[in-house]
Amino acid sequence: MMMSSNNMECSAKAKEEEEITKISLMRSLVETQDPSFKEVDDMTMRRFLRARELDVEKASSMFLKYLKWRRSFVPNGFISPSELTHEIQQNKMFLQGSDKKGRPISVLLAARHFQHNGGLDEFKRTPFSLFSLSGCDNLDINLLFG
């Protein structure tokens, strides 16, 4: 049996409204557990909710773990290029303008990557350095490394 386009629109609208409600609940829960929680956009919160099948408690727990990791990985909110000399010398990552929402677009030339003593941790920190140089302070490393 085929659903009419009207029924599909209503279903999509109901799902969107449910997500918006759960985003609000998640924000409240996260703010009570982490008073230093900074405002993040709805799309980021939505990604965490969808990753946990719209379970607010599981998504909040996952998000709080992400915040803790983020503070340890990028303690000052940015990474100095001096911490990434090997990665920068390889000229393998570039900023290439911005998308419609103003977020920087990066290009990574994997063929130029050669492992060195700095290892994976330095490689993962490279995007933060480039984006902070561009003036972007809202980079989510999950977008880059899954």
Side-chain angles (χ1 to χ4, degrees):
M1 179 196 275
M2 301 266 305
M3 280 183 99
S4 72
S5 67
N6 230 6
N7 286 343
M8 289 190 311
E9 286 176 25
C10 289
S11 176
K13 209 176 230 186
K15 184 177 179 181
E16 176 75 18
E17 288 174 5
E18 178 186 13
E19 285 183 350
I20 289 170
T21 300
K22 291 194 175 201
I23 287 169
S24 178
L25 289 170
M26 186 175 159
R27 280 187 192 284
S28 298
L29 188 59
V30 170
E31 286 174 359
T32 59
Q33 295 183 27
D34 185 351
S36 66
F37 166 71
K38 290 184 180 177
E39 210 45 50
V40 297
D41 62 20
D42 285 352
M43 290 307 294
T44 301
M45 302 297 278
R46 182 172 283 153
R47 273 193 7 256
F48 282 89
L49 276 167
R50 287 179 178 172
R52 293 295 174 248
E53 298 178 356
L54 301 181
D55 184 314
V56 174
E57 288 186 22
K58 288 181 181 178
S60 297
S61 174
M62 182 183 183
F63 186 74
L64 288 164
K65 288 176 187 175
Y66 161 76
L67 288 176
K68 182 179 177 183
W69 169 84
R70 171 79 187 224
R71 282 188 205 109
S72 69
F73 196 73
V74 188
N76 299 323
F78 68 95
I79 296 171
S80 168
S82 65
E83 296 179 59
L84 306 168
T85 55
H86 298 287
E87 300 298 328
I88 293 171
Q89 288 170 352
Q90 292 178 9
N91 287 325
K92 63 181 159 192
M93 189 168 183
F94 306 92
L95 294 177
Q96 192 67 37
S98 57
D99 67 6
K100 291 178 182 178
K101 292 186 176 183
R103 298 173 296 202
I105 297 171
S106 66
V107 176
L108 177 67
L109 304 174
R112 293 186 182 176
H113 176 69
F114 298 99
Q115 192 167 353
H116 54 81
N117 291 339
L120 187 58
D121 284 339
E122 183 176 332
F123 176 67
K124 283 184 175 182
R125 295 170 71 102
T126 303
F128 283 102
S129 176
L130 287 173
F131 284 100
S132 64
L133 287 172
S134 75
C136 178
D137 60 353
N138 192 18
L139 174 66
D140 185 350
I141 197 159
N142 291 324
L143 297 173
L144 300 168
F145 297 105

